[in-house]
Amino acid sequence: MGQKKNICFIGHSGAGKSTLVTALLRKSGIKEEIVLDSSDEEKAHGYSIDIGIGACAWNGERITMLDTPGGDEFIEEMYKAIPVADLSVLTVNAEKGIEVTTERAWELSGGKQLPTIVFVNHMDKENANFDDLVSSLRNQLEGKFIPIQIPIRQEKEFVGVVDVIANRAVYFDESKKTVPADLQKDVSELRNSLIEEIASIDDELMLKFLEDEEISVSELSAGLRKGVADGAMTPILCGAASQDKGIRPLMDALVDLAPGTKENKEGPCSAIVFNLSTDPYLGRLNYVRILQGILKEGETYYDISRKEKIEIRDLHTFDGTKQSPATQGESGEIVAIGKLEDLRIGTTIASEKDTTPFLLADFPKPVYSRTIVPKSQADVGKMSSALRELTTSKVTLRLERDTVTKEMILWGMGSIQLSMFISRLKNRFNVSLDTRRPAIPYKETITKKATAKYRHKKQSGGRGQFGEVELRIEPTRRGKGFEFVDEIKGASIPGQYIPGVEKGVVEAMIEGNLAKYPVTDVLVAVYDGSFHPVDSSELAFKLAARNAFREAMDQAQPCLLEPLMSLEVRIPDEYTGDVISDLNGRRGKILGMDPVGRATIVRAEVPLIDSQSYALDLKSITQGRATFQMEFLKYHQVPANLQEKIISKSKETE
């Protein structure tokens, strides 16, 4: 068989990507059941959540198709698929035009000069307007969009397309090939423009163009192929996947325009793990694109990131959407590896230990969090392994235990994504979880120096307890944490008791005096004290130090600290004012604004408590068109008026 070509389908939810991939697989001759959305959650909700994979043969070449979700909260699947694809098909709804994920998908593919074509789907719909959509692509997205097909309509029915390069009509009922008279002028103008655009990237064709020499169809096709490979131009095709209209011309175009990989079977093998999933029958599957060489079952390779050996024992290729056992996979092919539990997304597998790793794009960071609580004791035992399985397979899912609040927090891209994976936990692992908004991990600190002296003395028959310490506490720079200093001179406190003093201070700092939050950014010095030769002990000094610290803290003007988040928002220009106004209402501090194309990037600091719902609120303000990244920046003093409310609420819950 000829070259291996991998095509990924991207675009907004509802554009018809899964239907399109299914139609293409059917057109290739796949007769078995085609299931791209196979999980219980996808079946229940009627849209894609994970990458769907199907493969077929067309014109002697093997085509593997990657169907990605169109929901913005599942954007990571595009980040996985686009780098391992030879060509991206930006699928657009002919009725709805450019939508939110259309823009984001373009930024990841054609916007980065990666080979991309546009397929305008749903051309059979009454409100489909091809010309308007082409204008929208050119006006809203930065790129060189060139129609190589235009639709043919008869009494509003979508009956065929004109192949602009070949200057012929393709009727879906194969009745004729003549371009309709009412389209001939438009086709002629479009073809002349297309010839000029293609000639502009090829010196030989430009010379022919300037000298009015005829440029053949094969020369135009070759020039277009080069333009797509270089990311210099984006062809536009059209059809209606649900009606099997335009599918054959699209498949021909995919084979012709996808750059493909020149097979290098002789070189050392390397492959990139770009996706993970769990199959109900096969278990954990690691999806890899073979970059060069031949990946063989039964041979040993290296996990380049960990420099560890791995043995390939279970290899699968794809026939339609079904996995088939295989003994090897060749350069350019996408295969699945089973029975390997330790591989991670982004891992390079290679036959040589010093192979340079293949780098995927930086994934977006999760920005929406919820505290998770098992519903029963039975769920507690199963929760950890189930969550580990799911968060390993999704880069934008992160599980962490907050050291302050002790809550288990699940981070994701939004409420829909988290609810989908909470459902997946139930469906696959029978683990039931409740969720709620996370508590804010406040901390306490001091704002001035203070000293305290405390004597712990207890006598109740037998050996007593005695320890006396004098402490000085003072604030340190924000973020430094705790520092303990032994300033004892002489033997007022023997050295063997100093560890007890430090332990007492550390215990006292677990709960501060204001609202029982941890204390931080404090220097504590023990500078004097006294002991008893019989009754003193490390325990006595620990208790004395704990009480001395609490007394000193009361005198050191304690205050609350709250976490501040670093926020970077990418906003379409028309929403910039609304977003900035909203950030100001969240006690946000604008740090800078940078124009990027038709958008503005705003950098800001926002308190965590005021940004917990930002993923939902920003979507509402901008109709889902803005994106943002958020991560912890630092702790900052809580304003006095809010501090009193937090302290009062804390006392109410005691």
Side-chain angles (χ1 to χ4, degrees):
M1 186 174 286
Q3 286 191 334
K4 315 297 190 293
K5 293 187 176 181
N6 303 300
I7 316 292
C8 95
F9 293 78
I10 57 178
H12 195 83
S13 183
K17 299 181 297 298
S18 299
T19 304
L20 178 58
V21 172
T22 299
L24 288 164
L25 292 173
R26 283 273 176 250
K27 187 63 69 177
S28 75
I30 301 294
K31 294 182 171 55
E32 294 79 10
E33 182 183 16
I34 295 172
V35 181
L36 291 163
D37 295 338
S38 59
S39 72
D40 292 338
E41 303 76 41
E42 289 172 319
K43 292 174 182 176
H45 292 87
Y47 53 77
S48 302
I49 295 172
D50 309 298
I51 293 175
I53 302 181
C56 64
W58 189 263
N59 291 347
E61 297 193 2
R62 179 171 174 78
I63 308 295
T64 301
M65 303 181 196
L66 307 176
D67 174 34
T68 66
D72 62 335
E73 294 183 17
F74 304 101
I75 193 75
E76 80 164 78
E77 308 305 314
M78 290 191 201
Y79 278 80
K80 295 172 182 174
I82 291 172
V84 300
D86 302 301
L87 179 73
S88 296
V89 180
L90 179 61
T91 311
V92 183
N93 188 319
E95 284 192 304
K96 297 182 179 179
I98 309 302
E99 299 177 88
V100 176
T101 311
T102 313
E103 296 176 338
R104 297 192 67 184
W106 173 254
E107 290 171 4
L108 295 173
S109 56
K112 293 188 175 180
Q113 281 73 57
L114 298 176
T116 307
I117 70 171
V118 173
F119 183 75
V120 181
N121 198 15
H122 301 309
M123 281 302 303
D124 57 319
K125 302 300 183 182
E126 184 177 351
N127 296 321
N129 190 312
F130 185 76
D131 292 338
D132 285 352
L133 200 145
V134 171
S135 296
S136 295
L137 287 167
R138 290 171 170 170
N139 292 333
Q140 296 182 41
L141 307 179
E142 294 189 358
K144 190 168 286 187
F145 295 93
I146 303 173
I148 62 170
Q149 292 177 351
I150 60 174
I152 302 173
R153 291 188 179 278
Q154 290 179 355
E155 297 179 354
K156 295 186 178 180
E157 184 182 355
F158 179 46
V159 297
V161 296
V162 176
D163 180 338
V164 176
I165 292 180
N167 196 20
R168 64 182 177 87
V170 179
Y171 283 86
F172 303 135
D173 62 3
E174 301 182 351
S175 60
K176 49 189 172 181
K177 297 182 179 180
T178 305
V179 176
D182 62 330
L183 292 179
Q184 287 179 2
K185 181 181 178 183
D186 291 341
V187 172
S188 177
E189 291 176 354
L190 190 56
R191 193 169 191 274
N192 288 336
S193 175
L194 176 62
I195 292 171
E196 185 174 359
E197 292 288 0
I198 293 174
S200 69
I201 62 172
D202 186 294
D203 291 340
E204 290 186 15
L205 294 184
M206 177 55 74
L207 188 59
K208 279 190 171 186
F209 176 76
L210 293 174
E211 295 180 356
D212 290 328
E213 291 185 29
E214 183 178 350
I215 299 176
S216 68
V217 170
S218 61
E219 287 175 321
L220 286 175
S221 297
L224 181 63
R225 194 157 47 244
K226 181 179 185 303
V228 171
D230 295 342
M233 53 183 62
T234 304
I236 306 173
L237 299 89
C238 61
S242 62
Q243 302 295 317
D244 191 23
K245 293 181 175 180
I247 301 305
R248 182 179 294 276
L250 175 61
M251 184 68 101
D252 289 337
L254 295 180
V255 171
D256 188 48
L257 295 175
T261 303
K262 292 182 179 179
E263 294 183 11
N264 180 7
K265 298 179 183 179
E266 305 305 321
C269 179
S270 64
I272 176 69
V273 180
F274 70 92
N275 189 41
L276 306 176
S277 74
T278 301
D279 184 274
Y281 304 105
L282 301 174
R284 166 80 169 269
L285 289 176
N286 307 271
Y287 297 90
V288 306
R289 156 105 189 219
I290 303 172
L291 304 171
Q292 69 171 18
I294 298 177
L295 187 71
K296 296 182 179 179
E297 189 177 65
E299 294 199 356
T300 300
Y301 298 86
Y302 289 97
D303 175 336
I304 295 301
S305 60
R306 296 187 301 165
K307 303 297 183 186
E308 294 182 359
K309 291 183 177 181
I310 57 173
E311 184 180 351
I312 305 298
R313 294 175 294 160
D314 193 39
L315 199 62
H316 303 269
T317 58
F318 296 91
D319 182 16
T321 55
K322 298 183 183 300
Q323 293 95 1
S324 302
T327 57
Q328 67 178 39
E330 298 178 355
S331 176
E333 197 169 358
I334 286 177
V335 298
I337 304 172
K339 298 179 182 177
L340 280 177
E341 300 295 325
D342 296 329
L343 294 180
R344 294 293 182 266
I345 292 170
T347 297
T348 297
I349 300 169
S351 55
E352 297 182 354
K353 187 186 295 187
D354 59 352
T355 300
T356 302
F358 181 92
L359 299 179
L360 295 176
D362 291 334
F363 287 85
K365 296 180 177 65
V367 294
Y368 180 86
S369 63
R370 280 295 178 264
T371 295
I372 55 174
V373 182
K375 288 187 176 182
S376 69
Q377 192 59 40
D379 295 314
V380 173
K382 297 179 290 184
M383 183 179 75
S384 295
S385 60
L387 282 169
R388 184 167 55 251
E389 176 72 28
L390 287 189
T391 54
T392 297
S393 66
K394 299 297 175 185
V395 181
T396 55
L397 284 179
R398 186 179 78 236
L399 184 68
E400 64 182 22
R401 182 175 179 82
D402 191 286
T403 57
V404 175
T405 65
K406 311 304 180 187
E407 294 179 335
M408 192 67 72
I409 298 176
L410 184 63
W411 284 84
M413 299 303 291
S415 59
I416 297 174
Q417 186 197 30
L418 290 194
S419 67
M420 287 299 103
F421 287 99
I422 294 296
S423 296
R424 183 161 287 182
L425 282 168
K426 177 63 177 174
N427 293 334
R428 290 190 182 177
F429 305 98
N430 197 27
V431 173
S432 297
L433 300 179
D434 286 324
T435 63
R436 63 169 184 260
R437 179 176 289 201
I440 301 298
Y442 293 108
K443 293 185 180 181
E444 299 183 22
T445 193
I446 58 175
T447 58
K448 71 172 191 176
K449 291 183 182 180
T451 60
K453 177 179 179 180
Y454 191 92
R455 174 181 291 182
H456 175 74
K457 184 177 181 181
K458 187 175 182 181
Q459 193 73 43
S460 57
R463 183 176 176 178
Q465 294 182 23
F466 182 89
E468 182 180 66
V469 298
E470 292 187 50
L471 300 178
R472 182 183 73 255
I473 65 175
E474 55 187 84
T476 61
R477 63 176 173 79
R478 192 71 65 237
K480 188 173 183 180
F482 167 59
E483 183 179 356
F484 181 78
V485 181
D486 176 8
E487 294 183 355
I488 296 295
K489 292 181 172 56
S492 58
I493 300 178
Q496 68 264 33
Y497 299 136
I498 297 301
V501 175
E502 184 173 1
K503 289 177 184 176
V505 170
V506 170
E507 285 186 7
M509 292 176 65
I510 293 173
E511 290 187 351
N513 296 5
L514 289 176
K516 295 190 174 181
Y517 289 108
V519 181
T520 189
D521 299 341
V522 175
L523 181 147
V524 180
V526 55
Y527 61 90
D528 205 355
S530 62
F531 74 103
H532 188 279
V534 175
D535 293 343
S536 285
S537 64
E538 183 174 310
L539 174 62
F541 276 97
K542 185 176 77 169
L543 295 172
R546 188 166 66 190
N547 286 287
F549 178 85
R550 287 172 176 163
E551 289 186 3
M553 187 173 177
D554 280 337
Q555 303 169 41
Q557 291 184 358
C559 69
L560 288 181
L561 299 175
E562 64 180 340
L564 275 186
M565 310 302 287
S566 172
L567 197 64
E568 185 174 288
V569 195
R570 190 182 188 282
I571 317 159
D573 288 338
E574 58 265 39
Y575 297 106
T576 302
D578 293 336
V579 171
I580 290 176
S581 176
D582 176 73
L583 288 173
N584 289 331
R586 297 173 187 271
R587 296 190 288 137
K589 179 182 178 182
I590 307 299
L591 302 178
M593 297 171 60
D594 300 303
V596 179
R598 297 182 178 92
T600 299
I601 292 180
V602 174
R603 290 172 286 105
E605 295 175 0
V606 184
L608 174 61
I609 191 172
D610 295 302
S611 57
Q612 283 185 304
S613 64
Y614 197 63
L616 303 178
D617 297 339
L618 183 66
K619 187 177 293 186
S620 175
I621 294 168
T622 66
Q623 299 181 20
R625 293 184 60 201
T627 60
F628 78 103
Q629 288 285 268
M630 180 173 70
E631 58 186 358
F632 171 74
L633 178 63
K634 61 184 178 181
Y635 271 86
H636 184 76
Q637 187 171 338
V638 175
N641 61 323
L642 294 179
Q643 177 169 298
E644 292 305 316
K645 292 179 181 179
I646 296 166
I647 294 172
S648 297
K649 187 175 181 180
S650 174
K651 290 180 178 178
E652 289 173 4
T653 58
E654 288 181 12

